[in-house]
Amino acid sequence: MARYKNQDRNGLFLPVILSEQIVPGSFAFALDYLVDHELDLSGLDARFRNDEVGASAYDPRVMLKIVLFAYSQGMLSSRAIARTCIHNVQFVALCGNSQPSHAHIAKFVSGMGEQIKTLFAQVLMTCDAQGLIGGDLFAIDGVKLPSNASKERSGTFEELLQRARRLERAADKIVELHQGLDYCAQEEPMDSRRQARIDALRREAARTREFISVSSETTGRKGIEIKTNVTDPDSGKMATGKGVIQGYAAQAAVDTGHQVIVATDVVGSVSEHGMLIPMIEQSRPYLRADTVIVADAGYHSKDNVQQLADLDIAALIADKHMRKRDERLAGQGRFKPAAPTLHNKATVELASVPKHFGLSDFQFKSPRLCICPAGKKLVGTGRVYPLANGQGQRIFRADATDCASCEFRSLCLRNPEQGTPRSIKISRKTSRRIAAKNETVNQQRAIDLMRQAIDTPSGRALYSRRIGTVEPVFANLRHNKGFSRFNLRGRDKVNTQWHLYCMVHNIEKLAASGWQKA
């Protein structure tokens, strides 16, 4: 019979060099080098005041390394991370065998605050220095994730008050049932299990009533009260493909070149369209003159489209009827796209030329400035002339040289042969009415231009890159990293956790690009 060497799987004393356990070219190596040589953690160092007195603290560089590495391994629990720092050799190498407790790890994550945004920006700068941010197209989207809150504790103040009453009635009913069953022996005490249930119901009712007493109602744009949550007031109820959750909508702006996340945030609201402009502003350091922003119909609104036009940002924001207009999907050949207008949104041809320009054709920017249909400035005199009805009027005058060379001279001046420039008189009430009308017209014009741009073949080709840009990022974080829910409460802490996961994604892109491979 063959003989083999003995196998021993018990504990052994092995000569392990921890620095050799971080293999060059791996995520751990890129993370270790990035934190030690690229990131400025002076803001985290400033939180400690133990230079001469007090106990020694865990190095924030060590804490950041183990948290990011744990998140890359799909490990979210601080207790699991603390255990792994004792048994896993790579974690031991990253933390230098310092073995922080789960309480220190949880406190580090929840207490980072605004400092996490600075660290995220520094990682982005490193990605940009390596050429990982192309700037051709940024895709903005959101993913809804559950929070550490129960949706049963959500509702309006009236609904929460009714819930507190139901809990109190349930506790009273248990007491009544006990008294009825033990009618002949009322001196016998209630069993511990039943008493614990009564105490839990009354504590929950008291907690709900206390929340209502110290909180204030919030209303939406239409004046309707927004539902709040007792456990996490910043979170919101959201409908997903798998039902209704209590959570946050995590936002991300992703560059199409290497799928690097250039901006990120969270919002505890069902409506995401309010996050479009803030996400663009966050990604502005990496925006180029020809960068195109794409987003789905959840970000489409009149205000957003108008702001994009005012900021002169090339964007393709889908509206809810985009797919219906696509003949490839609906077979509707009657919708013919216009010419591309991505980078020329401000140029609008007059569909119908009026006989003579009136007050409604002028745009009143301020009490001292007015814009004519040709785009020229009319300057106000600065005086308000009183009228018989008690109102005042302002006078705006154009420059004579502008009117002399204007192609719309015959449509604007009563006597085009004379050299007198155009002047207009307008009351305050009329100017406000015209300004409101012009704003509505401008919004509709911007929406029409956006619709025309997205219906062109080039617009469809650009918009079709949205899914392939941003959805793989969410798939990587949710499925590969196992990030299925937030385990913190409050928007600030949840935002910190989302930034950390986005940093993990970007560091993976650095490691995969061969950065500091050896």
Side-chain angles (χ1 to χ4, degrees):
M1 184 176 180
R3 291 180 298 127
Y4 301 102
K5 298 289 185 180
N6 292 330
Q7 299 181 21
D8 187 2
R9 296 187 178 182
N10 296 319
L12 299 176
F13 290 101
L14 299 176
V16 177
I17 301 176
L18 294 180
S19 60
E20 295 180 354
Q21 307 307 311
I22 305 176
V23 182
S26 64
F27 174 84
F29 186 88
L31 172 63
D32 185 66
Y33 185 89
L34 179 73
V35 174
D36 287 341
H37 299 89
E38 297 290 336
L39 300 185
D40 180 13
L41 271 67
S42 58
L44 295 178
D45 292 330
R47 301 191 311 188
F48 299 100
R49 296 289 186 271
N50 59 346
D51 297 345
E52 298 179 358
V53 295
S56 59
Y58 290 101
D59 191 341
R61 293 157 187 81
V62 169
M63 303 296 288
L64 184 61
K65 287 178 187 178
I66 61 176
V67 168
L68 291 176
F69 190 65
Y71 284 3
S72 71
Q73 303 294 313
M75 199 178 305
L76 188 61
S77 169
S78 59
R79 294 181 181 273
I81 297 174
R83 289 193 299 267
T84 311
C85 288
I86 300 175
H87 303 102
N88 189 296
V89 67
Q90 278 195 309
F91 279 87
V92 174
L94 285 173
C95 70
N97 198 28
S98 56
Q99 299 180 5
S101 66
H102 72 89
H104 287 92
I105 296 173
K107 184 179 179 181
F108 173 78
V109 174
S110 60
M112 293 192 71
E114 292 295 320
Q115 187 65 27
I116 188 62
K117 297 181 180 180
T118 304
L119 298 178
F120 180 81
Q122 294 180 40
V123 175
L124 270 183
M125 292 173 62
T126 305
C127 293
D128 188 32
Q130 299 302 313
L132 298 182
I133 302 179
D136 295 331
L137 182 143
F138 289 169
I140 299 177
D141 205 351
V143 57
K144 298 174 183 176
L145 295 171
S147 63
N148 188 12
S150 172
K151 62 183 179 182
E152 296 179 356
R153 295 181 172 93
S154 292
T156 62
F157 275 31
E158 180 61 30
E159 292 172 348
L160 292 176
L161 186 59
Q162 291 179 2
R163 181 173 183 270
R165 292 168 181 165
R166 288 197 302 269
L167 293 173
E168 292 169 346
R169 287 197 298 267
D172 295 339
K173 188 174 182 179
I174 294 177
V175 174
E176 292 176 1
L177 290 175
H178 171 74
Q179 293 175 350
L181 292 174
D182 301 331
Y183 182 78
C184 297
Q186 295 186 6
E187 68 278 0
E188 293 184 6
M190 188 178 297
D191 62 274
S192 58
R193 181 178 178 182
R194 188 176 297 177
Q195 185 63 49
R197 177 59 178 166
I198 295 173
D199 295 340
L201 290 172
R202 288 178 174 168
R203 281 197 305 269
E204 180 65 21
R207 179 185 178 186
T208 303
R209 289 184 178 275
E210 181 182 3
F211 175 81
I212 296 173
S213 63
V214 300
S215 303
S216 58
E217 299 181 3
T218 55
T219 56
R221 294 185 302 171
K222 298 181 179 180
I224 302 176
E225 182 183 355
I226 299 176
K227 293 185 178 182
T228 186
N229 185 270
V230 177
T231 309
D232 186 359
D234 294 337
S235 64
K237 265 190 176 181
M238 303 178 182
T240 66
K242 297 182 179 179
V244 178
I245 64 170
Q246 184 73 34
Y248 291 87
Q251 308 291 304
V254 184
D255 176 67
T256 190
H258 294 81
Q259 294 179 337
V260 172
I261 303 174
V262 296
T264 180
D265 206 342
V266 296
V267 58
S269 173
V270 179
S271 178
E272 296 176 314
H273 59 77
M275 295 300 298
L276 178 66
I277 302 301
M279 294 297 291
I280 294 176
E281 291 298 329
Q282 285 188 39
S283 59
R284 187 169 289 277
Y286 305 98
L287 283 176
R288 302 185 320 199
D290 59 344
T291 302
V292 180
I293 305 294
V294 294
D296 61 14
Y299 298 90
H300 189 281
S301 69
K302 293 181 180 180
D303 294 336
N304 282 345
V305 176
Q306 182 61 48
Q307 289 188 61
L308 290 172
D310 295 339
L311 296 173
D312 196 25
I313 295 177
L316 292 172
I317 314 298
D319 58 274
K320 60 182 180 180
H321 299 298
M322 184 195 70
R323 295 178 65 86
K324 295 180 180 179
R325 296 194 305 271
D326 194 343
E327 62 271 8
R328 299 172 302 175
L329 302 176
Q332 298 176 347
R334 63 181 182 276
F335 293 100
K336 297 181 180 180
T341 55
L342 283 177
H343 304 290
N344 194 21
K345 297 185 293 300
T347 303
V348 181
E349 296 182 357
L350 294 175
S352 59
V353 181
K355 294 182 179 181
H356 284 88
F357 293 129
L359 291 178
S360 60
D361 298 310
F362 290 79
Q363 299 182 17
F364 297 89
K365 300 295 185 180
S366 68
R368 298 297 301 272
L369 180 62
C370 175
I371 305 298
C372 74
K376 304 298 181 179
K377 296 181 180 179
L378 280 74
V379 180
T381 60
R383 294 181 56 187
V384 179
Y385 299 91
L387 297 176
N389 57 4
Q391 296 187 7
Q393 69 175 4
R394 297 182 183 275
I395 298 178
F396 296 83
R397 289 191 177 92
D399 189 85
T401 56
D402 291 337
C403 289
S405 59
C406 182
E407 58 180 327
F408 299 131
R409 182 180 176 85
S410 60
L411 300 174
C412 190
L413 298 175
R414 293 182 179 179
N415 298 316
E417 295 79 10
Q418 296 181 1
T420 306
R422 177 64 189 266
S423 64
I424 57 175
K425 299 178 181 179
I426 185 171
S427 64
R428 293 179 178 177
K429 182 178 180 181
T430 305
S431 63
R432 289 194 295 266
R433 177 177 55 82
I434 294 177
K437 180 179 179 181
N438 288 337
E439 183 179 0
T440 304
V441 172
N442 291 336
Q443 286 182 346
Q444 188 59 45
R445 184 180 300 171
I447 291 175
D448 292 340
L449 287 174
M450 180 75 71
R451 185 182 297 116
Q452 293 172 8
I454 206 169
D455 285 346
T456 60
S458 60
R460 290 171 181 165
L462 284 172
Y463 182 78
S464 64
R465 297 168 62 183
R466 183 193 67 84
I467 294 180
T469 298
V470 68
E471 294 299 342
V473 174
F474 293 148
N476 178 43
L477 296 178
R478 295 193 65 181
H479 300 284
N480 297 342
K481 303 296 177 288
F483 185 41
S484 59
R485 66 183 300 114
F486 295 104
N487 65 349
L488 299 177
R489 295 173 181 173
R491 181 179 178 180
D492 293 339
K493 296 180 181 180
V494 167
N495 196 23
T496 297
Q497 201 164 51
W498 178 240
H499 271 79
L500 288 170
Y501 265 96
C502 292
M503 286 174 61
V504 169
H505 176 84
N506 288 345
I507 296 173
E508 279 187 339
K509 295 299 180 181
L510 277 173
S513 68
W515 176 73
Q516 298 296 335
K517 192 172 183 179

